[in-house]
Amino acid sequence: MVITNTQSGTNVYEVAEGIYRINTPIALPGGVGGFSFNQYLIVDDESLIFHTGPRKMFPLVREAVASILPVERLRYIAFSHVEADECGSLNEWLAVAPNSSPLCGTIAAMVSVNDLADRSARSLEDGELLSLGKNSIRWFDTPHLPHGWDCGFLMEERTKTLFCGDLFTQGGVEIEPLTESDILGKSEAFRHGMDYFSHTKNTRLLLDKLAATEPATLACMHGSAWRGDGAKLLRDLADALSV
């Protein structure tokens, strides 16, 4: 793990070949512990960042990206759904990477992004595949899982990395960048304290759709990334949510 900003603790770790987790820990108000924000950078011919981070965190994330590649090389600024930690600094990234475009699902592009972004989005249909060079990403619509009509996730097919956004959110700051230990228990404990799921009736169907991709790495937005049998873990999450 490389620390890119000693004051904030922002750090970078390669979770799969050519895929980097950028992590910034924060203290929560009221003495209730800590939290963390992750972005993921895919380095390729057409490099991509998934999640922008909140707008006020942009200088830290930009500094971390610049430790890996020139920020102007970014081609896609991607995110799961419209929310501050997902795309709060979208326009800042579009400004420093002049050849980049927002990348999101068709619903997000239609209802929000093509209005709020300084450039039009490259929108992806459910199941659509996009080549970045040696890596290829596939978009999956997951409306209301865990929340947001526009929600969706990306699967990088070469490394079998699922960019699963707010699924498996874990609290705390003293966490491993990549773990093979249990994260479902930690994420369920967090959810029971602050339930951020919409509990759509399609939850199991959507999680089964993601499980069918058989991910080997789960790139979580908050907490540790995870490596192992991703299909089983996603189905275990479906079981937990059905109780």
Side-chain angles (χ1 to χ4, degrees):
M1 186 172 70
V2 176
I3 304 292
T4 57
N5 189 289
T6 54
Q7 184 174 3
S8 67
T10 302
N11 58 86
V12 173
Y13 187 89
E14 189 172 15
V15 297
E17 184 187 356
I19 300 177
Y20 297 85
R21 170 187 178 265
I22 298 166
N23 167 267
T24 302
I26 64 165
L28 294 176
V32 295
F35 199 53
S36 65
F37 293 89
N38 300 330
Q39 299 80 41
Y40 291 90
L41 177 67
I42 304 177
V43 177
D44 209 325
D45 296 338
E46 297 193 318
S47 296
L48 175 150
I49 189 169
F50 193 69
H51 314 308
T52 70
R55 181 174 57 85
K56 292 181 180 178
M57 201 175 283
F58 172 70
L60 297 173
V61 182
R62 176 182 178 175
E63 182 180 35
V65 170
S67 73
I68 303 167
L69 85 168
V71 295
E72 60 268 21
R73 277 189 51 198
L74 285 173
R75 178 65 183 86
Y76 295 111
I77 316 300
F79 46 92
S80 169
H81 54 279
V82 176
E83 195 174 3
D85 56 356
E86 294 275 356
C87 59
S89 61
L90 173 59
N91 286 327
E92 284 82 354
W93 284 107
L94 295 177
V96 299
N99 295 317
S100 66
S101 300
L103 185 75
C104 58
T106 56
I107 296 297
M110 178 180 66
V111 303
S112 298
V113 178
N114 286 337
D115 178 68
L116 62 85
D118 289 340
R119 285 197 287 278
S120 295
R122 168 65 165 95
S123 60
L124 296 173
E125 300 278 354
D126 185 37
E128 184 174 350
L129 187 69
L130 177 66
S131 174
L132 303 178
K134 67 179 180 180
N135 297 294
S136 295
I137 53 170
R138 192 179 300 276
W139 175 266
F140 293 96
D141 286 338
T142 60
H144 307 294
L145 178 71
H147 48 247
W149 177 33
D150 55 336
C151 190
F153 302 120
L154 286 177
M155 175 72 176
E156 198 294 295
E157 300 208 326
R158 183 181 65 88
T159 62
K160 305 293 282 185
T161 299
L162 178 64
F163 298 87
C164 60
D166 286 316
L167 299 182
F168 303 106
T169 288
Q170 310 139 58
V173 294
E174 298 295 329
I175 50 178
E176 298 176 90
L178 179 66
T179 185
E180 297 180 11
S181 301
D182 172 61
I183 62 170
L184 179 59
K186 294 178 181 178
S187 67
E188 280 296 280
F190 186 91
R191 182 180 69 82
H192 284 292
M194 183 183 292
D195 195 354
Y196 54 95
F197 273 70
S198 72
H199 300 283
T200 170
K201 64 182 180 180
N202 295 318
T203 292
R204 184 173 291 277
L205 290 174
L206 293 171
L207 287 169
D208 282 343
K209 178 170 75 169
L210 297 176
T213 68
E214 299 184 341
T217 301
L218 298 179
C220 305
M221 187 175 180
H222 305 288
S224 300
W226 184 86
R227 182 167 56 201
D229 185 348
K232 181 180 184 302
L233 188 59
L234 288 160
R235 292 187 174 110
D236 287 346
L237 174 60
D239 289 341
L241 292 169
S242 67
V243 175

